[in-house]
């Protein structure tokens, strides 16, 4: 499969993190991430994976069109922190879903995920040219909600699914101009 220019996998450098295309060397850290109990709880992940599945997943991310999967790397240490993803592209509305996952509690609360979110939002609404980006966050995850709000996401609804309260959030292309204005 050929990836369209719009969905190329860039390297985006921030103050705290660098977002870069995933590579097969990320498999061990990604395996650690998907097996972190707190992280899977905060994302309501119930699926289990084998190492082989994760290794295959990581090694195929750069071949995927109409989605963006980037590794989050801490600038200070060069360590893989997690992943930031634009997926579920809807061509009709020219929008995508955002999700982020960090490797574990050692990486929480350090603004690494917050900066990664801001970088993906600017890239998605700016360089990719999406009209909007949406996400769902567990109501019981206020730290993530606060990071999303700092990046410009606004609450657009709330649903209950499988006994969990989810907050639906969205950001639109007009907001990114405001965020990047002097």
């Amino acid at each position: 499969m050929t990836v369209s220019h719009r969905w190329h996998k860039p390297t985006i450098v921030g103050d705290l993190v660098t977002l870069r295309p995933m590579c097969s060397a990320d498999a061990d850290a990604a395996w650690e991430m998907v097996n972190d109990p707190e992280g899977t709880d905060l994302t309501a992940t119930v699926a289990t994976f084998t190492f082989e599945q994760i290794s295959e997943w990581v090694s195929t991310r750069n071949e995927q069109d109409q989605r963006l999967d980037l590794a989050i790397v801490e600038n200070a240490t060069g360590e893989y922190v997690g992943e930031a993803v634009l997926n579920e592209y809807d061509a009709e509305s020219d929008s995508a879903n955002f999700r982020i996952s960090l490797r574990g509690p050692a990486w929480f609360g350090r603004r690494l995920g917050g900066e990664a979110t801001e970088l993906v939002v600017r890239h998605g609404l700016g360089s990719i040219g999406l009209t909007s980006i949406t996400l769902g966050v567990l109501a019981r995850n206020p730290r993530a909600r606060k990071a999303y709000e700092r990046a410009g996401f606004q609450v657009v609804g709330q649903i209950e699914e499988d006994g969990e309260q989810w907050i639906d959030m969205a950001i639109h292309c007009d907001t990114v101009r405001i965020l990047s204005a002097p």
Side-chain angles (χ1 to χ4, degrees):
M1 170 182 270
T2 303
V3 176
S4 62
H5 179 72
R6 184 179 195 196
W7 291 97
H8 82 281
K9 314 309 181 204
T11 297
I12 306 168
V13 180
D15 294 332
L16 302 173
V17 299
T18 295
L19 305 180
R20 62 156 173 77
M22 295 183 127
C23 63
S24 57
D26 296 327
D28 287 334
W31 172 248
E32 181 182 322
M33 180 180 68
V34 301
N35 285 290
D36 171 60
E38 187 173 352
T40 56
D41 177 57
L42 291 174
T43 57
T45 302
V46 294
T48 58
F49 306 96
T50 66
F51 180 79
E52 291 73 23
Q53 288 172 312
I54 295 304
S55 183
E56 173 73 14
W57 172 265
V58 168
S59 69
T60 60
R61 295 304 83 206
N62 297 331
E63 304 163 10
Q64 306 304 307
D65 199 23
Q66 297 188 351
R67 66 177 289 140
L68 181 67
D69 299 83
L70 297 173
I72 306 168
V73 177
E74 182 182 36
N75 291 341
T77 64
E79 287 192 63
Y80 175 100
V81 172
E83 66 179 9
V85 177
L86 289 174
N87 63 1
E88 301 175 12
Y89 175 65
D90 180 338
E92 188 173 313
S93 65
D94 203 18
S95 67
N97 177 72
F98 173 73
R99 72 173 175 79
I100 186 170
S101 183
L102 298 181
R103 192 166 155 190
W107 307 103
F108 298 166
R110 297 173 46 196
R111 286 271 306 133
L112 304 173
E115 184 179 69
T117 299
E118 292 166 8
L119 293 171
V120 168
V121 164
R122 283 192 175 94
H123 182 75
L125 297 178
S127 298
I128 294 175
L130 296 170
T131 302
S132 63
I133 300 172
T134 60
L135 64 84
V137 61
L138 283 172
R140 61 183 173 82
N141 191 351
R143 182 176 52 228
R145 181 176 169 183
K146 186 175 181 179
Y148 299 144
E149 288 171 344
R150 268 196 308 268
F153 283 91
Q154 297 178 345
V155 174
V156 294
Q158 187 167 335
I159 62 167
E160 182 175 329
E161 185 176 291
D162 298 326
E164 291 278 9
Q165 291 293 319
W166 291 87
I167 297 171
D168 292 326
M169 301 182 83
I171 186 169
H172 301 279
C173 59
D174 299 357
T175 307
V176 80
R177 286 189 207 99
I178 294 166
L179 291 173
S180 59

